[in-house]
Amino acid sequence: MGALILEPLARPDGMTTHEYAHRRLRQAIMVGSIRPGESLTIRGIAEAMESSPTPVREALRRLSSEGALKVLDNRRIMVPKMTAERFGELIALRAVLEKHAARRAVAHITERQIDRLVEIDKAQDEAIARKDNAAALLLNQEFHRTLYTANPDQIIMPMVESVWLQLGPFLGIAMEHVAQLYFVDRHQEAIAALRKRDADAVAEAINADICEGIGGFERAAIENLLRLARQ
Amino acid sequence: MGALILEPLARPDGMTTHEYAHRRLRQAIMVGSIRPGESLTIRGIAEAMESSPTPVREALRRLSSEGALKVLDNRRIMVPKMTAERFGELIALRAVLEKHAARRAVAHITERQIDRLVEIDKAQDEAIARKDNAAALLLNQEFHRTLYTANPDQIIMPMVESVWLQLGPFLGIAMEHVAQLYFVDRHQEAIAALRKRDADAVAEAINADICEGIGGFERAAIENLLRLARQ
DNA sequence: TATTGATTTTTGTGATCACATTTCCAAAAT
DNA sequence: ATTTTGGAAATGTGATCACAAAAATCAATA
């Protein structure tokens, strides 16, 4: 019975227990700190965060609806295994979703919001410079989220986050073996296109950002990583 | 306290209570039988299906993660309100998602599976002929699902179903005021393109099927429907 | 008559318990 | 040495209860 390691996380008051559990588990999965195939037990998690099975179960149900966890026939719950095929599907889907989200945001985004994007991008560059992978990852997500949610009627964000979640375990594997993540930054290009209100150019910048970033892993490299992880 | 009306639904044995609750509620929302703005109570639903709060709460959490329900600040749960803007986003997203899903299925689908699509399409035509809206709707979904899941590594289906779920309440409104739904069927076109393994043509057929079907509502017609529903 | 304020009821939340199933581990049999 | 089998421990599931917050009800006041 391996004890589950969970980073403590600030709990704003008013936040319910199941919400807190959801957030903590989600973050752990997103940054790849739970290994695929590792099976999670309700009581184990409940104990790890000093609560009871009921709210933990709710958190796990949500995460499985979000694609972050898989419920087996035995009713055991685990992080889905990553394969080269699944990875390919995730990247292709991510590109399609985010191109669309970006395009749909262009008409709504304000100059003020674009300024905010510039700030976030700068902070990310600093994080990369000081080799702080975790911070850079979070800032990269914040950049994309800020852009897409500029559209007030947007409904795609939960799906984008679902893909991020499903890519999390791969990031964990990659970080174990690569030590330093390679970040691609086409954000400047996206920002310039946003200022010109050129939707096609924005979409293309986002596409490049994704495909040359995490999506740029060669298939051979992926299979190699996954083989290493299996041992 | 308005009693919740839920169609009874067969419960395969081995199915857990929360799963059953999830399915029943999901179906009710999908065919639009729960009015937007109507607030759901955990105890009310538990009573309606003769169980207890715990599994119902789990079902509601899943549905809110799937975008079918919204949790308010009061922690009340309701079906999201539909607006013309949101409807537009849903249709645009549906088109993008399903074009992509269709394109990604082409390489994997077998002749046998294409034959199955022909059968489903025929059954749908029969349902339309006998003016059985509910059956036609379900068969239409089965057609699309069968196509997209031909890709064994596909991860997009939950997202497609999420969009269907979010469109459900609109269907309910439309059916209250239009009596007879107008079905567009570009399935034959998709089937022909599949036989030729022409991915672009398949994607285009699916796109047309969506945009000329439920997506074909004029904006004025939508706003009219929504205005009627508000009273 | 409309509005405020107190009380009663309803509701969401989470801990706990009992039950059935599954998993695990060690001893016995092949 | 490997497989089988028995029981013990662990696990998922769902009903119930207690508590706090929210909503609804109703009486008193302006």
Side-chain angles (χ1 to χ4, degrees), chain B residues 95-149:
Chain B
V96 166
L97 281 177
E98 299 197 31
K99 267 189 291 183
H100 182 252
R103 187 173 268 119
R104 284 249 155 192
V106 174
H108 298 91
I109 201 166
T110 64
E111 286 296 323
R112 174 135 191 74
Q113 285 172 316
I114 298 177
D115 293 342
R116 174 87 188 107
L117 288 178
V118 173
E119 279 175 35
I120 298 170
D121 186 48
K122 202 170 134 200
Q124 186 189 341
D125 285 345
E126 287 165 10
I128 293 172
R130 88 179 98 90
K131 300 187 195 303
D132 185 346
N133 277 339
L137 216 90
L138 287 177
L139 285 163
N140 185 53
Q141 288 180 1
E142 196 180 337
F143 182 93
H144 287 261
R145 183 170 20 237
T146 303
L147 171 53
Y148 309 148
T149 55

Side-chain angles (χ1 to χ4, degrees), chain A residues 147-167:
Chain A
L147 171 54
Y148 310 148
T149 55
N151 173 357
D153 300 302
Q154 147 277 342
I155 47 173
I156 206 177
M157 203 56 225
M159 299 180 191
V160 171
E161 302 234 14
S162 168
V163 174
W164 292 353
L165 257 178
Q166 294 183 60
L167 282 169

Side-chain angles (χ1 to χ4, degrees), chain B residues 50-124:
Chain B
E50 296 174 342
S51 66
S52 69
T54 314
V56 170
R57 232 170 43 220
E58 290 171 38
L60 292 179
R61 301 265 181 255
R62 287 190 53 186
L63 288 166
S64 74
S65 276
E66 289 161 21
L69 297 175
K70 215 184 136 204
V71 182
L72 277 60
D73 296 331
N74 349 343
R75 293 178 179 171
R76 275 277 154 75
I77 294 176
M78 63 168 221
V79 176
K81 294 238 168 74
M82 183 60 78
T83 65
E85 288 76 20
R86 211 169 90 85
F87 181 80
E89 290 289 334
L90 282 167
I91 294 301
L93 180 54
R94 194 185 156 196
V96 166
L97 281 177
E98 299 197 31
K99 267 189 291 183
H100 182 252
R103 187 173 268 119
R104 284 249 155 192
V106 174
H108 298 91
I109 201 166
T110 64
E111 286 296 323
R112 174 135 191 74
Q113 285 172 316
I114 298 177
D115 293 342
R116 174 87 188 107
L117 288 178
V118 173
E119 279 175 35
I120 298 170
D121 186 48
K122 202 170 134 200
Q124 186 189 341

Side-chain angles (χ1 to χ4, degrees), chain A residues 16-18 43 52-55 74 76:
Chain A
T16 60
T17 307
H18 83 261
R43 282 178 169 92
S52 70
T54 314
N74 349 343
R76 276 277 154 74

Side-chain angles (χ1 to χ4, degrees), chain A residues 25-189:
Chain A
L25 287 169
R26 180 191 159 83
Q27 166 152 337
I29 296 169
M30 183 90 79
V31 302
S33 70
I34 302 184
R35 202 173 283 110
E38 185 173 338
S39 85
L40 300 174
T41 67
I42 295 173
R43 282 178 169 92
I45 297 168
E47 198 173 337
M49 52 176 74
E50 297 176 340
S51 66
S52 70
T54 314
V56 170
R57 231 169 45 221
E58 290 172 38
L60 292 179
R61 301 265 180 255
R62 288 190 51 186
L63 287 166
S64 74
S65 277
E66 290 162 19
L69 296 175
K70 215 182 134 204
V71 181
L72 277 60
D73 295 333
N74 349 343
R75 294 179 178 170
R76 276 277 154 74
I77 294 177
M78 63 168 222
V79 176
K81 293 238 169 73
M82 182 60 76
T83 66
E85 289 76 22
R86 211 169 88 87
F87 182 80
E89 290 289 333
L90 282 167
I91 294 300
L93 180 54
R94 192 182 159 199
V96 166
L97 281 177
E98 301 197 31
K99 268 189 291 184
H100 180 73
R103 188 173 266 120
R104 285 250 154 192
V106 174
H108 298 92
I109 201 166
T110 63
E111 286 296 324
R112 174 135 191 72
Q113 285 172 316
I114 299 177
D115 294 342
R116 174 88 188 106
L117 287 178
V118 173
E119 278 175 36
I120 297 171
D121 186 49
K122 200 171 135 200
Q124 187 189 340
D125 285 344
E126 287 164 10
I128 293 172
R130 88 179 98 91
K131 300 186 193 305
D132 185 345
N133 277 339
L137 216 91
L138 287 177
L139 285 164
N140 185 53
Q141 288 181 1
E142 195 180 338
F143 181 93
H144 287 260
R145 185 171 17 238
T146 302
L147 171 54
Y148 310 148
T149 55
N151 173 357
D153 300 302
Q154 147 277 342
I155 47 173
I156 206 177
M157 203 56 225
M159 299 180 191
V160 171
E161 302 234 14
S162 168
V163 174
W164 292 353
L165 257 178
Q166 294 183 60
L167 282 169
F170 181 80
L171 280 182
I173 294 172
M175 268 160 71
E176 265 181 34
H177 296 276
V178 181
Q180 180 65 35
L181 283 182
Y182 163 61
F183 277 94
V184 169
D185 188 342
R186 297 285 210 123
H187 295 178
Q188 315 266 4
E189 202 174 314

